[in-house]
Amino acid sequence: MTFEKLVKLKIVIYTIIMEYINNIIEYYDELYTVTASQKKLFEDLTKNYLPAKVLRVGCGTGSLEHWLSKNGHDVTGIETNQEMLETANRRRRFPNMALRFFQMSSLEMVRFLGKGFYNVISCLNNELIFRNDEILLRKFFFDCKTLVAEKGVVVLNLTNFDKYDLNKDFALPVRESIRSKLITNISSRDGKLFLNQTLEHYGKKPIAVLRDVEISPVSKADIERFAKEAGFSDIQFYGDWDLSPLTEKGDNIVAIIK
């Protein structure tokens, strides 16, 4: 199979996977809250630009992107799920906001978005792990290098998979709000990892969000390797949005790549 055919196949598979996400849209913002610490980090990353040009890969319902736009920045969000994008667009309060959302996979972004244009590119909330092929992971980093401006940064946020035995089944920390719980279990089969997510919304029957989706457990070492291969030279790792030190037992990785 040629690389082009592989990319097209992955786009189709990825789009089908994301359709399950429709089951979580009502609860998405309360489960994936944009915290004060996250806002502070993005404030620091964008403060030297008037405005900063920001790209979010897998923008979901666009909460962070609306906040950045309200703070004067030029913001683009890409997302494969149409329902998510409709929610993001409904939030627009002013027609002249420098804010746009596109239904697009990261596999396509280098074809349609401006090269060397973005001061900050982000891929958060474990979005990266759904590129379950090493070729496509490498492509993601090379594409980010193509799209990011000189002296720009790439921000990644994902699970710290180094704390888990990947040869065994395990559960990720539960995301919980007043109304709901998002339970994520990872199963190991034949050297591959598969993710299942269930939404428990109180008083109602649990529903599936993702079912048996193959993922790639991207580690700290993987990020370093792929980033350096793509031409990045400065990779800093933290354990949270407050930029606390990354520890072996920490739940999360925040990577800032230049």
Side-chain angles (χ1 to χ4, degrees), residues 35-38 40-41 44 238-245 254:
T35 65
S37 297
Q38 190 174 350
K40 174 63 167 57
L41 176 59
D44 291 343
Y238 303 96
D240 55 34
W241 294 112
D242 291 315
L243 303 187
S244 303
V254 174

Side-chain angles (χ1 to χ4, degrees), residues 128 141 156 162 218-237 246 253 255 257:
L128 189 62
F141 283 87
L156 305 179
D162 289 329
V218 183
S219 67
K220 175 177 178 286
D222 291 330
I223 294 171
E224 285 183 309
R225 176 164 56 96
F226 295 142
K228 288 179 179 178
E229 285 178 356
F232 294 99
S233 58
D234 185 2
I235 305 105
Q236 301 294 323
F237 292 97
L246 176 64
I253 290 176
I257 304 170

